[in-house]
Amino acid sequence: MNRTTETKGITQCSIFDFNLSWYELLTSEEKMLIDEHSVSINFKKGETVCKRGAFASHIYFLEEGLVKVYLEERNKNLILTLFTKNNLLGLSSVFEGNNKLPYSVSTYTDSRVRMIDIHIFRQLLQQNPEFSYRIINLLNEKTSQIYGRFFSLTQKQLHGRLADILLCLSNRIFKSKSFELPLSRADLGDLTGMSTESVIRMMKEFKDDGLIDMHCKSIELLDVARLERISEFG
Amino acid sequence: MNRTTETKGITQCSIFDFNLSWYELLTSEEKMLIDEHSVSINFKKGETVCKRGAFASHIYFLEEGLVKVYLEERNKNLILTLFTKNNLLGLSSVFEGNNKLPYSVSTYTDSRVRMIDIHIFRQLLQQNPEFSYRIINLLNEKTSQIYGRFFSLTQKQLHGRLADILLCLSNRIFKSKSFELPLSRADLGDLTGMSTESVIRMMKEFKDDGLIDMHCKSIELLDVARLERISEFG
DNA sequence: GGAAAAAACTGACTTGAAGCAATTATTTTT
DNA sequence: AAAAATAATTGCTTCAAGTCAGTTTTTTCC
């Protein structure tokens, strides 16, 4: 067919951190319904919010904190995505076919999670088309981010994957070129699909090359342009 | 927390092939609206239905055929999923934020695709909650399948990945233990994240081990139980 | 504040899987 | 039906990246 204009690379950044508001789209009765059928729970750093395979009884709204959404099997771990505050988690289970949670969630920092009864949430989806439409948009946005990560982890080598994740953390999560990382090196490994040792080696290499500065948990991106090039060329 | 019952492995099968009906949920006026604002197009084997980056103007309903949904960049290819007939494609672009298509689609066999005006589709989503709810379920089902593939491709080695894909093709796509494969070895590579040569070597190995029988494009699974074990143990 | 545990790091070694180049088989085209 | 093009296959070589084992640093918790 005919030539299409070139678009940006597939993996610009892929960690979930946007938040279209959804609560505002509800009527006041509906809001009240949510309020009545939800509770807000505090989790300490490192705690498990929910485990894959458990029955899905709630939709989670992360009011405060930072969490990982991950899969584990045997000793293999894969972090699907990170969520920051004001995001909805566990939407996959609104589908009755998925009555079990398809992933686990645990916290990196102290967090507050509002747990919303899933039946109420479903009811609202079925009665309020605007709300439902917004949720579709949230799901789609998330899916296309997952595609980006999928591409990154399957098609790029270590340099590219690490550059990807560093850029994401900076742009999406911490919104700053320097940040204190609450994730361990092992977590970075689960996020990039590489071994802990490789993460360490690669980060040292980035440091030696003047791409980043780093003292243990504190990280600063020094040369974003070059990191982007590394991300692009895999 | 308390111990949850063990669930099945993450990657049972991950190719998209279920179809909840959605058309029936529309009112007769809505159906008419769809009919008026859609056309059915025939594609020959190997043709491109749409390319990543193009403006998303339609939702696609695959009336007949087999297609791949894929990402390409430089010489890297990744097949996200395969679709069989009676499935909706391109739902990611109902989100106005994504006015460009996030992936490309091309056919493996002669196919017929109904192209539905995206504005009409959006309108229906916003006015018909049951329809919208059904679409959410479709999206969710798809997402959890993508997670499975994501895990498979990032955490398993070649044996496991090939076993995964052979089982999927058999269970979901062809619904038979023996089938004529319309995909090339290179496509199997793009589907499993391995090189064409590795696909060939691995399939030969499976054949020598009595797991499958194979003559060029025709494949038969001989020992499904063992394939499942290989899939499970990566 | 000191002991214990957990992370972070380093170097040596091994290997899974990709890349390359050449050959054979299939399919398409004329 | 022959020629050309595409796909499948094989063997050889290379290297990216994981594993293992040991050391140092940092964090946690009595």
Side-chain angles (χ1 to χ4, degrees):
Chain A
M1 307 258 133
N2 47 19
R3 208 157 287 275
T4 55
T5 39
E6 210 47 53
T7 40
K8 287 277 200 65
I10 289 164
T11 1
Q12 282 318 355
C13 182
S14 39
I15 290 178
F16 194 43
D17 175 35
F18 65 96
N19 46 69
L20 298 175
S21 68
W22 50 276
Y23 193 70
E24 280 72 43
L25 297 175
L26 301 176
T27 65
S28 43
E29 294 90 57
E30 289 171 338
K31 282 179 185 167
M32 211 182 300
L33 205 59
I34 290 254
D35 293 348
E36 278 167 12
H37 291 85
S38 70
V39 283
S40 188
I41 309 270
N42 288 304
F43 288 89
K44 288 213 281 291
K45 168 184 176 182
E47 281 190 306
T48 301
V49 175
C50 57
K51 289 281 277 187
R52 189 178 85 90
F55 285 110
S57 50
H58 296 84
I59 298 294
Y60 305 94
F61 180 65
L62 185 59
E63 295 181 324
E64 196 59 60
L66 176 66
V67 304
K68 66 172 169 181
V69 173
Y70 64 102
L71 298 176
E72 56 181 344
E73 189 156 286
R74 247 162 297 279
N75 50 2
K76 306 284 189 188
N77 272 29
L78 173 67
I79 299 180
L80 292 170
T81 181
L82 302 180
F83 275 88
T84 53
K85 70 170 177 175
N86 292 328
N87 279 300
L88 278 171
L89 277 130
L91 285 176
S92 308
S93 29
V94 288
F95 175 34
E96 293 96 336
N98 296 345
N99 60 343
K100 306 246 183 83
L101 282 165
Y103 42 63
S104 304
V105 177
S106 76
T107 62
Y108 278 125
T109 61
D110 293 354
S111 301
R112 194 170 71 253
V113 179
R114 179 162 293 276
M115 302 173 77
I116 304 166
D117 185 291
I118 200 165
H119 302 101
I120 298 296
F121 201 90
R122 282 188 189 133
Q123 179 191 324
L124 298 185
L125 283 174
Q126 280 167 309
Q127 74 186 41
N128 183 331
E130 291 220 24
F131 170 62
S132 166
Y133 188 60
R134 177 60 50 86
I135 298 298
I136 288 179
N137 286 345
L138 285 171
L139 287 170
N140 275 330
E141 181 69 15
K142 186 177 63 169
T143 300
S144 75
Q145 289 182 341
I146 292 281
Y147 287 166
R149 269 171 58 63
F150 199 175
F151 187 86
S152 171
L153 294 212
T154 57
Q155 307 294 319
K156 295 182 182 180
Q157 30 192 81
L158 300 195
H159 302 80
R161 306 217 292 266
L162 185 62
D164 275 345
I165 215 63
L166 289 173
L167 289 168
C168 285
L169 288 169
S170 166
N171 295 334
R172 300 268 185 152
I173 302 296
F174 301 107
K175 299 179 171 77
S176 160
K177 289 212 167 45
S178 65
F179 47 87
E180 287 293 311
L181 200 63
L183 327 206
S184 70
R185 302 293 192 258
D187 280 311
L188 288 180
D190 294 341
L191 210 41
T192 51
M194 58 208 254
S195 71
T196 309
E197 292 93 329
S198 292
V199 172
I200 290 165
R201 275 187 273 264
M202 209 88 284
M203 287 187 62
K204 184 170 156 49
E205 206 175 293
F206 278 18
K207 186 181 176 182
D208 292 345
D209 290 354
L211 291 165
I212 62 172
D213 196 10
M214 156 184 100
H215 294 93
C216 226
K217 297 284 192 180
S218 85
I219 291 178
E220 179 175 6
L221 306 195
L222 297 176
D223 191 342
V224 170
R226 202 137 60 90
L227 281 172
E228 280 169 349
R229 239 172 305 131
I230 291 173
S231 153
E232 174 127 8
F233 288 91
Chain B
M1 308 254 136
N2 47 18
R3 206 156 290 275
T4 55
T5 39
E6 212 46 52
T7 40
K8 287 279 201 63
I10 289 165
T11 1
Q12 282 317 357
C13 180
S14 40
I15 291 177
F16 194 43
D17 176 35
F18 66 100
N19 46 70
L20 297 176
S21 68
W22 50 276
Y23 192 71
E24 281 72 43
L25 297 175
L26 300 175
T27 65
S28 45
E29 293 90 57
E30 289 171 339
K31 282 179 185 167
M32 211 182 298
L33 205 60
I34 290 254
D35 293 348
E36 278 166 11
H37 292 85
S38 70
V39 284
S40 188
I41 309 268
N42 289 304
F43 289 89
K44 286 212 282 291
K45 169 183 174 180
E47 281 190 306
T48 301
V49 176
C50 57
K51 288 282 277 186
R52 191 179 82 91
F55 286 110
S57 51
H58 296 84
I59 298 294
Y60 305 95
F61 180 66
L62 185 60
E63 295 180 324
E64 197 58 61
L66 177 65
V67 304
K68 65 171 169 181
V69 173
Y70 63 103
L71 298 176
E72 56 181 344
E73 188 155 287
R74 246 163 299 278
N75 51 1
K76 305 284 188 187
N77 271 30
L78 172 67
I79 298 180
L80 292 170
T81 183
L82 303 179
F83 275 88
T84 52
K85 70 170 177 174
N86 291 329
N87 279 299
L88 278 170
L89 275 130
L91 285 177
S92 308
S93 30
V94 288
F95 176 35
E96 293 95 336
N98 296 345
N99 59 344
K100 305 249 185 80
L101 282 165
Y103 42 65
S104 305
V105 177
S106 77
T107 61
Y108 278 125
T109 62
D110 293 354
S111 301
R112 192 169 71 252
V113 179
R114 179 162 293 273
M115 302 174 78
I116 304 165
D117 186 291
I118 200 165
H119 301 100
I120 298 296
F121 202 90
R122 282 189 190 132
Q123 179 191 323
L124 298 186
L125 282 175
Q126 281 167 309
Q127 76 186 40
N128 183 332
E130 291 219 26
F131 170 63
S132 167
Y133 187 61
R134 176 60 49 87
I135 298 298
I136 289 179
N137 286 345
L138 285 171
L139 287 169
N140 275 330
E141 181 69 14
K142 186 177 62 170
T143 300
S144 74
Q145 289 182 340
I146 292 282
Y147 288 166
R149 267 171 61 64
F150 198 175
F151 187 87
S152 171
L153 295 212
T154 57
Q155 307 294 319
K156 296 183 183 180
Q157 28 193 86
L158 301 195
H159 302 80
R161 306 217 292 265
L162 185 62
D164 275 344
I165 215 63
L166 289 173
L167 289 168
C168 285
L169 289 168
S170 165
N171 295 333
R172 300 265 188 156
I173 302 295
F174 301 106
K175 297 179 172 77
S176 158
K177 289 213 170 42
S178 65
F179 46 87
E180 286 294 311
L181 200 62
L183 328 204
S184 70
R185 300 295 192 256
D187 279 312
L188 288 180
D190 294 342
L191 210 41
T192 51
M194 57 208 256
S195 71
T196 308
E197 292 93 329
S198 292
V199 172
I200 290 163
R201 275 186 276 264
M202 209 89 285
M203 287 186 62
K204 184 170 155 49
E205 205 174 293
F206 277 18
K207 185 179 177 182
D208 292 346
D209 290 355
L211 290 165
I212 62 172
D213 196 12
M214 157 184 101
H215 294 94
C216 226
K217 297 283 193 182
S218 83
I219 291 178
E220 179 176 7
L221 307 196
L222 297 176
D223 192 341
V224 171
R226 203 136 60 90
L227 282 172
E228 281 168 350
R229 241 173 302 131
I230 291 173
S231 152
E232 173 129 7
F233 289 90

